[in-house]
């Protein structure tokens, strides 16, 4: 009987140490909550708010980064300042192999940006000015055909952050005139 106890106790002690300290956890997924600091090209830099690594938590870096290619289904919905939840495996240095990322319900990015359009690669912003006296040749130069959320800025040509179907004409001095609800509204490029 004593022989069995001497065999079982070391095995039990190893199992307890494994559970408490997470030895061998390198291949296991670790859950995290983080804030996105910067998105640069295809790289997301984030800072950990909390994780479920237990006693290993102090060994993990507070800041890490990952490639958007690892999460293509979520990538287009991520913005700087977002709070995200997810899991990663094999964090080495500050590089995380992210398995899953989803937006937290805590995000407060529902504020609207200033109305803007992108035409020929240039962002034009609403001046809140109606321009009934600008001469017009009668022909439209283009139309806004796609839109992004009101809290985003347009990234493609003929895109706005307030809707589609608006015709526009080129103006003078870095301006375009949009026809919105029967009014000619002046949009101007900044800078």
């Amino acid at each position: 009987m004593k022989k069995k106890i001497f065999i079982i106790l070391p095995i039990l002690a190893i199992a307890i140490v494994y559970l408490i300290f997470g030895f061998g956890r390198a291949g296991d997924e670790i859950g995290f909550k983080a804030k996105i600091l910067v998105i640069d090209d295809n790289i997301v830099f984030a800072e950990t708010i909390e994780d479920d690594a237990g006693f290993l938590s102090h060994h993990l870096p507070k800041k890490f980064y990952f490639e958007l290619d690892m999460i293509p289904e979520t990538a287009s919905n991520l913005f700087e300042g977002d709070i995200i939840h997810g899991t990663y495996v094999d964090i080495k240095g500050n590089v995380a192999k992210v398995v899953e990322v989803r937006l937290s319900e805590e995000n407060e990015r529902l504020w609207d940006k200033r109305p803007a359009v992108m035409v020929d690669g240039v962002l034009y912003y609403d001046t809140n000015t109606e321009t009934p006296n600008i001469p017009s040749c009668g022909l439209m130069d283009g139309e806004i055909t796609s839109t992004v959320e009101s809290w985003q800025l347009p990234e493609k040509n003929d895109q706005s952050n307030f809707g589609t179907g608006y015709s526009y004409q080129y103006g003078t001095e870095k301006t375009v005139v949009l026809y919105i609800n029967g009014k000619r509204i002046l949009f101007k490029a900044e800078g």
Side-chain angles (χ1 to χ4, degrees):
M1 182 75 172
K2 284 186 177 184
K3 220 176 198 186
K4 286 183 181 181
I5 291 176
F6 284 119
I7 293 173
I8 293 174
L9 282 177
I11 292 172
L12 187 58
I14 291 170
I16 290 171
V17 168
Y18 178 85
L19 290 173
I20 292 174
F21 294 104
F23 290 138
R25 197 168 174 157
D28 295 343
E29 293 181 5
I30 298 173
F32 68 86
K33 176 180 172 183
K35 180 176 182 177
I36 295 177
L37 301 175
V38 176
I39 299 176
D40 187 16
D41 288 329
N42 190 39
I43 307 293
V44 175
F45 296 88
E47 182 171 25
T48 303
I49 297 171
E50 60 187 53
D51 60 49
D52 67 1
F55 289 103
L56 286 180
S57 196
H58 67 280
H59 291 294
L60 298 174
K62 288 296 176 198
K63 294 182 181 177
F64 64 95
Y65 63 94
F66 59 92
E67 294 182 17
L68 286 173
D69 292 344
M70 299 174 127
I71 50 160
E73 66 285 341
T74 310
S76 63
N77 295 323
L78 299 180
F79 295 91
E80 294 176 8
D82 281 346
I83 304 297
I84 55 175
H85 289 276
T87 55
Y88 55 69
V89 294
D90 296 331
I91 192 161
K92 292 180 179 136
N94 289 347
V95 182
K97 183 177 178 187
V98 172
V99 176
E100 173 196 17
V101 168
R102 63 193 178 285
L103 286 171
S104 173
E105 294 176 7
E106 300 171 37
N107 285 311
E108 297 179 15
R109 57 172 194 188
L110 301 177
W111 59 90
D112 289 340
K113 297 276 189 199
R114 185 171 161 197
V117 297
M118 182 172 279
V119 174
D120 294 332
V122 177
L123 269 175
Y124 295 89
Y125 294 90
D126 186 359
T127 62
N128 205 22
T129 304
E130 188 174 353
T131 59
N133 297 329
I134 293 179
S136 168
C137 65
L139 297 174
M140 297 298 113
D141 294 315
E143 181 178 320
I144 302 303
T145 57
S146 68
T147 189
V148 295
E149 298 293 334
S150 60
W151 43 263
Q152 295 175 299
L153 287 174
E155 297 178 347
K156 295 191 256 182
N157 285 328
D158 298 332
Q159 189 173 66
S160 82
N161 60 358
F162 56 87
T164 61
Y166 305 110
S167 299
Y168 64 83
Q169 289 182 310
Y170 297 110
T172 58
E173 298 180 28
K174 300 181 181 179
T175 64
V176 292
V177 177
L178 266 74
Y179 291 83
I180 302 173
N181 300 327
K183 297 178 180 176
R184 300 164 53 105
I185 307 298
L186 185 67
F187 282 67
K188 187 170 185 172
E190 295 182 344

